[in-house]
Amino acid sequence: MQALSFATTPGAIARGAPARKATVSARRGAARTVRAAASAPAAAVEASEVDFAAYIAEKNAAIEQALSDSVPEMYPERLHESMRYSLLAGGKRIRPCLCIAACELMGGSMETAMPTACALEMIHTMSLIHDDLPSMDNDDFRRGKPTNHKVYGEEMAILAGDALLSHAFEHIGRETPKTVPADRTLRVIVDVGKCVGSEGLVGGQVVDIMSEGADADEVTLDTLKYIHAHKTGALLEVSVTSGAILAGADEEDVERLGKYAQLIGLAFQVVDDILDCTATSEELGKTAGKDEAVGKATYPSLVGLEESRKIADDLIKEAKELLSEYDREKAAPLIGLADYIGNRKN
Ligand code: GRG
């Protein structure tokens, strides 16, 4: 089977892109959702790929609408505008897609998973807003647009991030359908909290910051694995497991899907490291080549580009093998998402 080619929409709709001098094209940032097989030759596109593309298109449309509905335009207007600016700036929506796909695989519905799916995107978005701040990565572009603090100022960017974080938990608690037993919703809230805090995203970010500028031999592959598993992997993992939990999956399935998510999570970050040194800023929608510029330890810097590519491929293969326990048709979205993560170009 030909490897899927996942391209961003060439004709992405421009959304108020301001004039700028950097190489990143704002046009690219508008609709960076998961897109399947967009550039594969028609004859080579198998039915399963077409099905996956249709599945993702349907989910992404529903996710975009639900995200827009989730944060109101209200007083104080500038705060809500700042929250909506980043939340609706595009993005591939991988986390919500994973959450919905896992819920559906375990017999649940998109409606059951949607509030949690949106909450995960709110948390992901706030982590990007904070990551881009001058005191962190100090980036001017994200998702092909000027970063939140460039548009709204640092104070507002910090507070918009805080508000999105808080709103995420409120949203799961308030909007998850009442047909879902409360203990499942509570477990999801606890799990998401854990994946975001000191044992998750924040912990990973702290080790990442501490590792920057450290002597090369201090940052081992194990340190790098810790950073990736926490900074990136934890949220991807809880995206999958929370979808499964909401559907009422048993522990064995939650554990198996969690393992699948850990593998694709590490692959996601290995590919991120590869893209940082092989793709352009325009393709990425953010500044390329930053890892090398700040002397950051990455998979390519530690094991080389070729070996990094092999590691990513092996991780995706292993993740997909775990799904062989399930009906192939029902597991197709999670299989497709694993392939997407392995082959993504931004
Ligand atoms: C979570 C409380 C809290 C604070 C934030 C700043 C910080 C702590 C953490 C940094 C987390 C971070 C930026 C991780 C990188 C994750 C990553 C690889 C992002 C890119 O994800 P994509 O490719 O992006 O899915 P899009 O734009 O497509 O959504």
Side-chain angles (χ1 to χ4, degrees):
M1 187 171 116
Q2 174 184 320
L4 293 181
S5 163
F6 298 93
T8 48
T9 1
I13 321 127
R15 279 187 207 152
R20 61 221 177 93
K21 43 184 179 339
T23 52
V24 181
S25 160
R27 182 176 58 82
R28 299 278 181 145
R32 291 175 174 273
T33 51
V34 176
R35 304 265 171 179
S39 61
V45 177
E46 292 182 10
S48 59
E49 296 170 356
V50 175
D51 290 348
F52 178 66
Y55 175 89
I56 291 299
E58 183 207 323
K59 299 304 170 204
N60 274 334
I63 290 164
E64 290 303 325
Q65 185 60 55
L67 284 173
S68 181
D69 293 344
S70 69
V71 176
E73 293 168 275
M74 61 181 285
Y75 183 82
E77 280 85 6
R78 199 158 165 80
L79 171 64
H80 291 95
E81 195 187 307
S82 163
M83 292 162 74
R84 288 176 63 85
Y85 172 80
S86 291
L87 190 62
L88 307 179
K92 296 180 289 294
R93 313 310 192 194
I94 288 174
R95 293 149 193 85
C97 280
L98 284 169
C99 182
I100 292 167
C103 185
E104 289 182 339
L105 174 60
M106 291 292 110
S109 68
M110 177 170 78
E111 291 70 28
T112 293
M114 190 59 91
T116 299
C118 289
L120 293 161
E121 190 65 23
M122 288 176 208
I123 293 167
H124 169 57
T125 299
M126 74 73 56
S127 80
L128 300 180
I129 296 174
H130 281 196
D131 192 52
D132 291 334
L133 288 167
S135 57
M136 298 249 189
D137 252 12
N138 192 18
D139 236 308
D140 291 355
F141 292 98
R142 172 70 70 176
R143 293 171 165 172
K145 297 174 81 173
T147 42
N148 196 294
H149 65 272
K150 282 276 154 193
V151 178
Y152 295 95
E154 267 184 70
E155 292 124 316
M156 194 61 77
I158 292 168
L159 293 166
D162 293 345
L164 280 171
L165 180 61
S166 155
H167 192 58
F169 291 96
E170 179 188 343
H171 196 70
I172 301 174
R174 190 191 294 282
E175 301 297 335
T176 299
K178 297 297 169 269
T179 46
V180 176
D183 60 335
R184 286 186 205 163
T185 310
L186 185 59
R187 180 173 171 193
V188 164
I189 291 172
V190 171
D191 286 1
V192 173
K194 184 166 179 188
C195 284
V196 171
S198 62
E199 294 177 61
L201 243 96
V202 176
Q205 176 77 349
V206 165
V207 177
D208 194 10
I209 289 170
M210 290 189 322
S211 303
E212 238 173 68
D215 289 340
D217 55 353
E218 280 176 40
V219 186
T220 62
L221 210 50
D222 279 345
T223 316
L224 197 58
K225 278 185 186 160
Y226 180 95
I227 294 169
H228 291 346
H230 291 77
K231 192 175 155 172
T232 308
L235 198 58
L236 290 167
E237 185 177 343
V238 81
S239 299
V240 173
T241 53
S242 62
I245 290 165
L246 288 164
D250 64 30
E251 285 314 309
E252 202 185 327
D253 284 320
V254 174
E255 206 176 302
R256 186 181 297 112
L257 291 176
K259 179 84 185 123
Y260 153 89
Q262 285 168 12
L263 292 163
I264 60 165
L266 184 53
F268 184 98
Q269 193 58 54
V270 177
V271 171
D272 220 62
D273 287 357
I274 294 171
L275 289 174
D276 187 75
C277 58
T278 57
T280 63
S281 297
E282 187 175 43
E283 284 163 339
L284 295 181
K286 62 179 183 180
T287 318
K290 277 206 88 174
D291 293 343
E292 200 186 341
V294 297
K296 203 170 192 171
T298 62
Y299 267 83
S301 78
L302 290 182
V303 303
L305 255 181
E306 203 176 315
E307 181 61 16
S308 301
R309 192 60 258 171
K310 185 177 169 335
I311 290 171
D313 290 345
D314 289 348
L315 288 164
I316 295 297
K317 187 162 169 264
E318 206 185 323
K320 289 197 295 183
E321 276 163 11
L322 286 170
L323 299 177
S324 61
E325 287 291 320
Y326 305 108
D327 175 84
R328 198 173 161 81
E329 207 174 308
K330 288 200 181 123
L334 286 183
I335 294 171
L337 282 160
D339 279 330
Y340 171 76
I341 283 169
N343 294 322
R344 71 197 177 92
K345 303 282 178 263
N346 68 48

